[in-house]
Amino acid sequence: MYSFTEENYIKAIYKLQEKSGISVNTNAIAEIMQTKAASVTDMIKKLSEKKLLSYAKYKGVELTETGRKMALEMIRKHRLWETFLYDKLNFSWDEVHDIAEQLEHIKSTKLIDCLDEFLGFPENDPHGDPIPGKNGLIQRIELYKVSELGIGEFGVISGVVNHSSLFLQHLEKNQLVLGKGIEIVSKSDFDQSLRIKIEGGIPIMISNEVARNVLLKKSR
Amino acid sequence: MYSFTEENYIKAIYKLQEKSGISVNTNAIAEIMQTKAASVTDMIKKLSEKKLLSYAKYKGVELTETGRKMALEMIRKHRLWETFLYDKLNFSWDEVHDIAEQLEHIKSTKLIDCLDEFLGFPENDPHGDPIPGKNGLIQRIELYKVSELGIGEFGVISGVVNHSSLFLQHLEKNQLVLGKGIEIVSKSDFDQSLRIKIEGGIPIMISNEVARNVLLKKSR
DNA sequence: TAATATTTTTAGACTAGTCTAAAAATATTT
DNA sequence: AAATATTTTTAGACTAGTCTAAAAATATTA
């Protein structure tokens, strides 16, 4: 059985590996874990001894197969709990993360499967992120940043890059929520802000910052 | 914010105070917490410094008002989660305790109230134990052990004294579950075992041990 | 009352996880 | 290639929580 801290480290490393490709460095882990580089070195030595990652001094770390499986289990639990909080308990999508961060550590071989069934085997969490299956497989579809679309193109909001509370609240306030269709009307050459038309709403302006953090499934 | 260990100690002390009246001794706490007396002494010193209990060497401990409130919050959370596992995720009543022991530590000012609402503000958990309200008040009714009833008396199964997994499984196997009416048919002078008639079932024998651990609401 | 048994506390050692400061290694700049 | 900057590791100190063994206090028995 692994400690909460061990599980959190493995999850953080998995996320960094997803972004950067292969190897993950000490400072990057320290930043996500909100701790000091020395603490990271201490912990990754232990995790290496437990065969969850492979590590050589000054060479960064990579999760082992065991580590990756553990990470995917954590992500599955996290996203299923977020879905429960959102769908069943009416939490808003910017409130669910911190609670799911705690719930994901519950040790029970059966609980998360029962929750999965209870929720109707959802494929995505409230932010549009894919929920890994019991077998650890993630079903991904190709998503595009709003900033990557051209004038006249359409898409359906299906994810967010930035999960911060403030950002999610900003999106909700502007009706930029999962499932909404949008069309790119025009783009400013000056600051790359966009004028977009939201399905069921009036055209609005969004900054380039927002455009780079909202993900779409392309449509027509 | 309190640690999991601190919360567990407070809960254990509350339960012991409920049984024994006022003061609780070190060995009793050690037994519930499955730890050594020395560890208990160390911890109750800390909890005393945090004003959760009052403590004098060799004199046992008593929870303060703050400690009692915290204990009732923990019990409320525990029982609501047990109810969720049982009612919504179809866990059996002997499986819920260990999972609820973990879930009760989730820190969120809003979560348990949303869960309470989601469950329809239940008054009892799957074992018949009363669920404290948000205000900390427990609604109790008078229950009797089966062994306290006379021949010909009736009652409805409304609680259990012993919460062990094996005992709960034994009860379920014998249809001795919450809500069932029973009538005392006869009693053996030899070993105090009882012959009882269960509503909707055939008469069965139960040992004195079982009779002392099943609680009834009296009826007619 | 004294001897014995039991309970509780204290002292010191341990692990898990954190930190700061300094040392070691690597990367970058000149 | 040398100097400088940055990253990473190591050493030692800290807290939380645990343990064993011994000491202290209380309870029980003779």
Side-chain angles (χ1 to χ4, degrees):
Chain A
M1 194 177 296
Y2 298 104
S3 70
F4 287 20
T5 305
E6 289 170 336
E7 291 177 334
N8 286 335
Y9 269 85
I10 293 300
K11 210 177 58 174
I13 293 166
Y14 180 89
K15 288 200 165 133
L16 288 164
Q17 272 195 272
E18 257 197 325
K19 277 181 184 166
S20 73
I22 307 293
S23 191
V24 166
N25 70 11
T26 299
N27 265 356
I29 300 170
E31 192 172 347
I32 291 199
M33 293 299 304
Q34 295 277 289
T35 190
K36 304 302 181 191
S39 302
V40 174
T41 302
D42 289 341
M43 178 56 72
I44 63 184
K45 276 178 177 171
K46 291 177 189 170
L47 295 172
S48 175
E49 281 156 19
K50 295 190 176 188
K51 314 292 185 194
L52 291 169
L53 53 78
S54 58
Y55 157 75
K57 291 183 184 182
Y58 300 99
K59 297 286 189 291
V61 310
E62 298 175 33
L63 291 181
T64 59
E65 188 57 26
T66 307
R68 259 194 303 282
K69 280 181 174 173
M70 181 180 167
L72 282 165
E73 275 175 33
M74 296 305 298
I75 289 167
R76 178 175 181 234
K77 289 178 173 182
H78 185 95
R79 290 177 182 173
L80 282 170
W81 279 116
E82 282 193 332
T83 305
F84 169 70
L85 293 168
Y86 183 80
D87 283 358
K88 301 296 180 183
L89 300 196
N90 300 318
F91 277 77
S92 55
W93 72 341
D94 57 276
E95 292 175 301
V96 299
H97 180 77
D98 290 341
I99 303 175
E101 280 289 314
Q102 301 175 67
L103 287 161
E104 73 191 20
H105 295 290
I106 301 302
K107 295 336 189 241
S108 160
T109 55
K110 165 177 169 175
L111 173 60
I112 206 62
D113 290 337
C114 289
L115 187 65
D116 203 357
E117 181 173 352
F118 176 65
L119 295 171
F121 301 102
E123 294 187 358
N124 300 93
D125 76 10
H127 312 103
D129 295 311
I131 298 175
K134 189 170 179 173
N135 55 12
L137 298 179
I138 287 195
Q139 209 155 349
R140 290 188 200 283
I141 54 167
E142 195 163 15
L143 298 182
Y144 302 83
K145 299 180 179 184
V146 173
S147 56
E148 289 169 346
L149 265 62
I151 293 167
E153 289 200 279
F154 292 79
V156 177
I157 298 179
S158 303
V160 283
V161 176
N162 182 347
H163 281 63
S164 80
S165 234
L166 280 173
F167 181 63
L168 295 176
Q169 285 171 24
H170 177 76
L171 293 184
E172 190 153 47
K173 200 165 67 182
N174 287 281
Q175 311 299 328
L176 295 163
V177 296
L178 295 193
K180 288 281 193 174
I182 67 174
E183 176 192 359
I184 311 303
V185 173
S186 64
K187 177 182 285 187
S188 165
D189 283 329
F190 172 67
D191 61 1
Q192 278 68 58
S193 59
L194 299 174
R195 189 177 196 82
I196 63 171
K197 188 186 285 180
I198 300 178
E199 168 194 358
I202 57 168
I204 62 167
M205 294 286 296
I206 61 171
S207 67
N208 180 249
E209 181 75 14
V210 168
R212 289 193 286 100
N213 280 287
V214 174
L215 302 171
L216 304 177
K217 203 184 332 177
K218 270 193 176 180
S219 53
R220 50 181 186 89
Chain B
M1 195 179 293
Y2 297 105
S3 70
F4 287 18
T5 305
E6 289 169 336
E7 292 178 334
N8 286 336
Y9 269 85
I10 293 299
K11 211 178 60 174
I13 294 165
Y14 181 88
K15 287 199 165 133
L16 287 164
Q17 271 194 273
E18 258 199 325
K19 278 182 184 166
S20 73
I22 307 292
S23 192
V24 165
N25 70 11
T26 299
N27 265 358
I29 300 170
E31 192 172 347
I32 292 200
M33 293 301 301
Q34 294 276 288
T35 192
K36 303 302 181 189
S39 302
V40 173
T41 301
D42 289 341
M43 178 56 72
I44 64 184
K45 278 178 177 171
K46 290 177 187 171
L47 295 172
S48 175
E49 281 157 19
K50 294 191 175 188
K51 315 290 185 199
L52 291 169
L53 54 77
S54 56
Y55 157 74
K57 291 181 184 183
Y58 297 101
K59 296 285 186 292
V61 309
E62 297 176 31
L63 290 182
T64 58
E65 189 56 28
T66 306
R68 259 193 303 281
K69 280 181 175 174
M70 179 179 169
L72 282 166
E73 276 174 32
M74 296 304 297
I75 289 168
R76 177 176 181 236
K77 288 177 173 184
H78 184 96
R79 290 177 182 174
L80 282 171
W81 279 116
E82 283 194 330
T83 305
F84 167 71
L85 293 169
Y86 183 80
D87 283 358
K88 303 295 178 182
L89 300 196
N90 300 319
F91 277 77
S92 54
W93 71 342
D94 58 277
E95 293 174 302
V96 299
H97 180 75
D98 289 342
I99 303 175
E101 280 290 314
Q102 301 174 68
L103 287 161
E104 73 192 18
H105 296 291
I106 302 301
K107 295 333 190 243
S108 162
T109 56
K110 167 177 169 178
L111 172 60
I112 206 63
D113 290 338
C114 289
L115 188 65
D116 203 358
E117 179 172 354
F118 176 66
L119 295 171
F121 301 103
E123 292 185 0
N124 301 95
D125 76 11
H127 312 104
D129 294 310
I131 299 175
K134 188 170 178 173
N135 55 13
L137 297 180
I138 287 197
Q139 208 156 350
R140 292 187 198 284
I141 54 167
E142 195 161 15
L143 298 181
Y144 301 84
K145 299 180 179 183
V146 173
S147 55
E148 290 169 344
L149 264 63
I151 292 165
E153 288 201 278
F154 291 79
V156 177
I157 298 178
S158 302
V160 284
V161 175
N162 181 347
H163 281 62
S164 82
S165 233
L166 280 173
F167 181 62
L168 296 176
Q169 285 171 25
H170 177 75
L171 293 185
E172 191 154 46
K173 199 166 64 181
N174 287 282
Q175 312 299 327
L176 294 164
V177 297
L178 295 194
K180 287 278 191 174
I182 67 173
E183 176 192 0
I184 311 302
V185 173
S186 64
K187 178 181 288 191
S188 164
D189 283 328
F190 172 68
D191 61 1
Q192 276 69 56
S193 59
L194 300 173
R195 189 177 195 83
I196 63 171
K197 189 187 284 182
I198 300 177
E199 166 194 1
I202 56 167
I204 61 167
M205 293 286 298
I206 61 171
S207 67
N208 180 249
E209 180 74 14
V210 168
R212 289 192 287 100
N213 280 287
V214 173
L215 302 170
L216 305 178
K217 202 184 330 176
K218 270 193 178 181
S219 53
R220 49 181 187 90

